[in-house]
Amino acid sequence: MQLEPEAVKAVTLRMKRAHGHLAGVIRMLEEGAECEDVITQLAAVNKALSRSGYALVATGLQQCLTTGGPDGVDTKKMEKLFLSLA
């Protein structure tokens, strides 16, 4: 299934922000920042990426439910995608 361009655009933007944030964390490490500060920022990057994944899965599920598709919603597949992000 292909995702709608608008949905992809929103998730891509979120991932680009996380990418920039990760670059900042790397810079912090290279500059000798405090461990606690680095870990806090790394956790924020991790959360942002996880939310991007959840947004993709949720968008895919929503599309499946609204468009129906020839075989309907593959609940096992959707569950597997959600669990892969856990």
Side-chain angles (χ1 to χ4, degrees):
M1 166 186 56
Q2 292 290 321
L3 296 174
E4 296 292 326
E6 284 302 310
V8 171
K9 185 177 179 180
V11 173
T12 301
L13 181 60
R14 184 184 292 224
M15 290 176 133
K16 285 181 179 182
R17 277 194 227 120
H19 182 266
H21 199 157
L22 179 58
V25 173
I26 292 169
R27 196 169 31 260
M28 288 174 71
L29 279 171
E30 292 172 342
E31 294 172 356
E34 291 293 322
C35 180
E36 184 178 348
D37 295 336
V38 173
I39 290 173
T40 299
Q41 293 306 311
L42 187 57
V45 171
N46 187 34
K47 189 172 185 178
L49 289 174
S50 291
R51 286 184 178 201
S52 296
Y54 293 133
L56 279 174
V57 173
T59 299
L61 180 58
Q62 183 179 12
Q63 267 185 242
C64 285
L65 291 173
T66 57
T67 61
D71 301 323
V73 177
D74 185 343
T75 55
K76 291 283 186 197
K77 191 175 198 177
M78 294 308 293
E79 181 181 355
K80 183 179 177 180
L81 288 172
F82 270 115
L83 292 175
S84 72
L85 295 170

